[in-house]
Amino acid sequence: MELLKERIRKDGIIKPGNVLKVDSFLNHQMDIDLFEEIGKEFKRLFADCPINKILTIEASGIGIACIVARHFHVPVVFAKKSQSKNIEGEVYSTQVQSFTHGRTYDVMVAKKFLSPEDNVLIIDDFLANGCALLGLSQLVFDSGATLCGAGICIEKGFQVGGEMIRAAGVRVESLAIVESMDPETGTVVFRDDEK
Ligand code: 5GP
């Protein structure tokens, strides 16, 4: 998605440790006009799927998922990262290792919000090592719902997640795949950049 790539080139900040900061438009301050275009693009890419639910993970996936959901006219469920007193009844839960925070945490979704009748699209801001996506896929699998695929805004193609999840048979559509990035020069190379 050219608009997103342009924005990453313009406003993305490359941090040491292979972290791309996009907090001025994607996951802290949020550019809702850009989200609108992202939503339109995911709707186009998954037009062939009978999606009736969007699943994401707190916190940074939620804003994007909500705007995407407006294009599908379906509810959003987000996996919670800690046991909340407000979660009633039984939950599906799994463990996720955080790339950015370097620790493992439990994520959960109330059983009443995922069921075998659901056709789920997972939405997230980043795909790096694939732990978040793997965890969300596991929740869908445990519920008996159908996983239609995953819509990712930025995939870091030099990390293992994309390959691993696709090899597991999950359809992954990423709007921008970063092939390499250089913290010295600030250069970002995308997978389909012309050589
Ligand atoms: P994974 O589980 O695929 O390793 O990482 C996915 C999660 O880590 C995303 O939900 C995102 O919040 C965070 N993440 C991974 N890499 C980056 C990055 O380069 N920049 C930012 N801002 N977040 C990242």
Side-chain angles (χ1 to χ4, degrees):
M1 182 183 171
E2 214 39 59
L3 189 67
L4 178 60
K5 290 186 203 170
E6 267 172 32
R7 193 61 181 273
I8 296 167
R9 282 195 195 97
K10 183 165 151 285
D11 292 328
I13 297 167
I14 304 160
K15 295 283 182 187
N18 282 332
V19 172
L20 177 62
K21 264 196 113 170
V22 287
D23 59 355
S24 63
F25 60 96
L26 199 74
N27 55 19
H28 192 165
Q29 175 169 264
M30 298 180 282
D31 181 338
I32 301 304
D33 286 342
L34 175 65
F35 282 22
E36 190 62 24
E37 294 306 314
I38 288 172
K40 227 183 266 177
E41 185 61 4
F42 281 135
K43 176 67 183 159
R44 189 183 71 79
L45 290 166
F46 288 99
D48 54 326
C49 303
I51 290 157
N52 73 328
K53 201 158 278 187
I54 286 179
L55 177 67
T56 189
I57 184 165
E58 67 175 352
S60 48
I62 298 175
I64 302 162
C66 288
I67 305 291
V68 174
R70 285 174 54 84
H71 291 264
F72 287 87
H73 304 287
V74 300
V76 175
V77 178
F78 65 92
K80 295 191 174 224
K81 283 185 179 165
S82 59
Q83 182 78 56
S84 154
K85 288 200 175 80
N86 293 327
I87 274 203
E88 286 166 16
E90 286 192 81
V91 297
Y92 298 110
S93 77
T94 189
Q95 287 209 319
V96 168
Q97 206 186 337
S98 165
F99 172 79
T100 35
H101 300 112
R103 64 185 182 88
T104 300
Y105 51 87
D106 293 315
V107 294
M108 66 203 68
V109 166
K111 285 192 175 175
K112 63 182 172 185
F113 296 132
L114 277 183
S115 67
E117 295 77 48
D118 287 326
N119 290 289
V120 178
L121 172 64
I122 294 174
I123 292 289
D124 207 359
D125 57 346
F126 272 92
L127 172 57
N129 288 325
C131 301
L133 188 45
L134 206 62
L136 290 173
S137 305
Q138 187 64 47
L139 296 176
V140 176
F141 180 75
D142 290 347
S143 72
T146 302
L147 179 56
C148 297
I152 302 294
C153 295
I154 305 173
E155 176 177 339
K156 292 193 289 182
F158 52 87
Q159 290 183 243
V160 298
E163 209 178 309
M164 176 183 72
I165 305 273
R166 288 184 183 93
V170 177
R171 175 178 172 190
V172 181
E173 301 280 4
S174 299
L175 302 186
I177 302 182
V178 175
E179 200 63 84
S180 65
M181 48 190 205
D182 185 343
E184 302 286 306
T185 61
T187 314
V188 180
V189 177
F190 294 100
R191 182 159 290 180
D192 51 357
D193 270 359
E194 288 179 8
K195 298 281 178 297

